[in-house]
Amino acid sequence: MIPKFIELSKEENEIIGKYSSVLEKRADVFSDKFIEWLKTNKRFSHILEKYSHDKMRKGISIGYKSIIAPSKGWEENFKHLSEVHYAIGLSSDDLIEVYDMYFDDIGDGIEALEIDPSEKLMLKCAIRKRLEKEMFDHINAFQELQKRVLEDRERFYKAITDISKMINEYEDNISLENMLGEIATIVVLDIDLDLVWIGNAKPQDKWMNIIASAGKATGYLKDIKISLDPSTPEGRGPAGIALMTGKPYVLNDFDVTIFNPWKERADAYNLGGSANVSFKTRDGTIWNISMYNEKGKKFPEKIEDLLTDLSIEIRFLIEHNKKEQELKKLRNYERALVKIQRLLIKNPPPEMIYNSVVRIINAYTENSHTIHITVPDPNSEWMKTVAAAGEGADIFLNSRLISTDPQRFPQGQFSTSKCFREGRVVIMNPQNEPQFVKFWEIHPELSIRSVGSWPIFEKGIKNPVAVLTIGSRDPDYFSEDLITLVDQTVSSIEMAIDQYRSKEKIEWMGLHDPLTGLPNRSFFEQSFQNAIKRADREKKNLGIGLMDIDNFKEYNDTFGHIAGDELLKRIGLSLSVILRGGDVVARLGGDEFILHVIFDDPKELDSITARIREKLSSVDDKMTIYFSIGWAVYPLESKELYELIDIADKRMYDQKRIAKKGV
């Protein structure tokens, strides 16, 4: 409330009005004196460096004129003068000193007037009361401004405190995106803002990625572009300045050139100012927090310290979250690795290994968007996905998505392709790779922000036999520790495949003749059981043929045992070529071979014998090869293999005797 002793009488108001046009000219002179007074005090040097002196002088002059000669809009001018004084950092004592200086200056002007001395004295008293009244209002306005600033700062402190509380209430299973979303909501509600967004980027990125946002104006962010390049218009805005300088930046008026790229959309959402702060986390990621006020509201002066404190709290939470998420991810991969190793003890075939590995990784891990294992197709320039899990698994399994040829196909530039060609681990952040962007236009459900591919080798084979690829929407998914764990998983896969191949080789050797590669007696006995089941099912006959080479001893004696071994290999190959699918030829030992063939008409056996004779007649260019063969028929002559072999053996020797007699 204004004290009554400084209220102006009607006569005092009239005399000020009478000479106001003369006295208000002193405001222009006083604005220069005010600037000079600021220069004498080091406390205000930073203000003088920050603001244009001409602009400051003009604003002060208008404000001081309105005190002497109130006109339309003078209240707004006086309010602006109060805000300027407060922004400069004047204290109440400074304000009293400035008003005294102003009175002295106005007094000099009154003394210069050629008017009646009594009127001059009355004018001086009236001016003194007017200035004291305005000073009183000014100090009250100061207090209101201080109260408002304290309230604004208190809202910031509340946001900082509420964010700090999240550490105590932190849940390990919350994702970084959800946590940042909660932080953005806290800032919007506590500070009463229209929009808050939090984004990040890697140093090599071109654009800021907005991770979380909150507020009623989130539509403002649709398709927005914030560049990390200050040479572009999108990199010179408020957020760009904070990113470039590493210091908080507040812009309370969007009617400036640097905000042109976003002005139209800001108007559409009634946004008028922003406060921005950036920071880096330990992994080198650049982060930015931008807060927006509606038009007509302003961020308080000197909130840079609060923005910095806010960024420190958010950075701590991000680091804490990433650490917890990384530990959780590594524990999950460790459990997956243990599960995979237990499975591999059973020595399954590669196909089963591949399917089990992708299924286990998908089941035990989070944020692994898709996992697949791909093998080269020897008959084309494309790779075939043989196992897949996660989102889009069916697309990988049923489509040709990955090529081995980067020159002809964009799909040849994917991490899987590069890993296969170079035979090394490849980690990529595909959001900056044009071939991925085009691919996602066709398959948006497969969009990822990081991908890693590991080659899988077999002993004795130069190129990878398969590639394990893991994709994630987390751009920082592949830490060094995780890469090491996947390396161990791939090593386990390779050892398991080697063990399976060794076992497969041992089993093969147990069932095959080492010289010719043909099945041996054991294999033949097993295949005979399957063959008779098929013959019974199809109501057909099964022929058992026993044959040997009539002049093999002569061949050996003439050309030596090494040549004889080579002859046996060629004979084995020739017999394999003659037989149809499902028929089997085996080597019993020496120059003896045994066959089983399914047939309908007995004449088919004669046809097979003729084809064997034709093939073996040209099997060697040094000597004509002769053979004898005897047939027995299941089930007409017997259902037992060895009885059938005996019958075939007798008929083979009968044929030999006939051949010797020349019949």
Side-chain angles (χ1 to χ4, degrees), residues 70 112 248 477:
Y477 191 72

Side-chain angles (χ1 to χ4, degrees), residues 147-397:
K147 181 182 177 183
R148 209 158 64 234
V149 168
L150 288 173
E151 288 174 350
D152 288 339
R153 290 181 71 87
E154 185 179 351
R155 285 197 288 269
F156 270 88
Y157 279 123
K158 185 176 187 307
I160 293 169
T161 302
D162 287 344
I163 291 170
S164 297
K165 288 178 182 176
M166 289 182 68
I167 291 292
N168 299 324
E169 301 167 359
Y170 187 84
E171 297 179 8
D172 289 347
N173 61 351
I174 187 173
S175 69
L176 180 62
E177 289 78 5
N178 289 340
M179 184 194 74
L180 294 175
E182 289 186 18
I183 289 174
T185 301
I186 287 172
V187 175
V188 163
L189 295 176
D190 285 354
I191 305 179
D192 188 23
L193 300 169
D194 278 29
L195 173 64
V196 170
W197 64 262
I198 301 172
N200 69 7
K202 295 293 184 183
Q204 69 271 18
D205 290 346
K206 296 179 181 178
W207 304 99
M208 179 66 59
N209 302 304
I210 295 177
I211 307 298
S213 61
K216 63 183 180 182
T218 52
Y220 167 84
L221 300 173
K222 184 180 179 182
D223 300 325
I224 196 168
K225 288 187 175 295
I226 309 292
S227 175
L228 271 68
D229 183 357
S231 67
T232 64
E234 293 86 355
R236 292 197 292 265
I241 292 172
L243 290 165
M244 180 175 59
T245 63
K247 297 178 181 179
Y249 184 80
V250 179
L251 180 66
N252 274 317
D253 184 1
F254 284 164
D255 289 320
V256 290
T257 304
I258 62 170
F259 202 77
N260 283 348
W262 311 279
K263 182 66 170 62
E264 186 176 342
R265 67 169 66 209
D267 289 341
Y269 287 91
N270 198 37
L271 299 176
S274 72
N276 310 266
V277 61
S278 69
F279 58 88
K280 285 185 179 181
T281 45
R282 292 176 187 173
D283 60 0
T285 302
I286 304 164
W287 293 84
N288 185 80
I289 308 147
S290 290
M291 294 162 266
Y292 295 76
N293 263 328
E294 66 180 0
K295 285 184 179 179
K297 288 177 66 175
K298 291 186 176 181
F299 289 98
E301 295 284 339
K302 301 176 183 177
I303 61 164
E304 287 79 6
D305 60 327
L306 297 176
L307 291 172
T308 299
D309 289 345
L310 185 67
S311 71
I312 289 171
E313 292 296 332
I314 295 175
R315 177 170 54 194
F316 180 81
L317 267 174
I318 290 172
E319 297 277 14
H320 182 74
N321 176 275
K322 295 188 84 169
K323 183 178 179 181
E324 290 297 319
Q325 292 299 321
E326 181 65 18
L327 287 173
K328 181 181 178 182
K329 180 170 63 180
L330 292 175
R331 286 194 295 267
N332 286 339
Y333 266 89
E334 285 171 350
R335 286 196 284 266
L337 177 56
V338 170
K339 181 77 173 177
I340 290 169
Q341 288 173 335
R342 287 176 179 169
L343 167 78
L344 298 180
I345 291 173
K346 300 176 182 177
N347 207 12
E351 295 76 13
M352 186 179 293
I353 292 175
Y354 295 156
N355 279 290
S356 299
V357 165
V358 299
R359 179 177 50 79
I360 291 170
I361 292 177
N362 183 61
Y364 277 76
T365 62
E366 297 176 0
N367 294 329
S368 53
H369 175 58
T370 182
I371 310 103
H372 58 84
I373 292 180
T374 311
V375 299
D377 183 347
N379 300 315
S380 76
E381 296 163 320
W382 295 88
M383 299 186 74
K384 180 182 179 182
T385 300
V386 294
E391 294 185 44
D394 289 343
I395 297 174
F396 279 102
L397 289 169

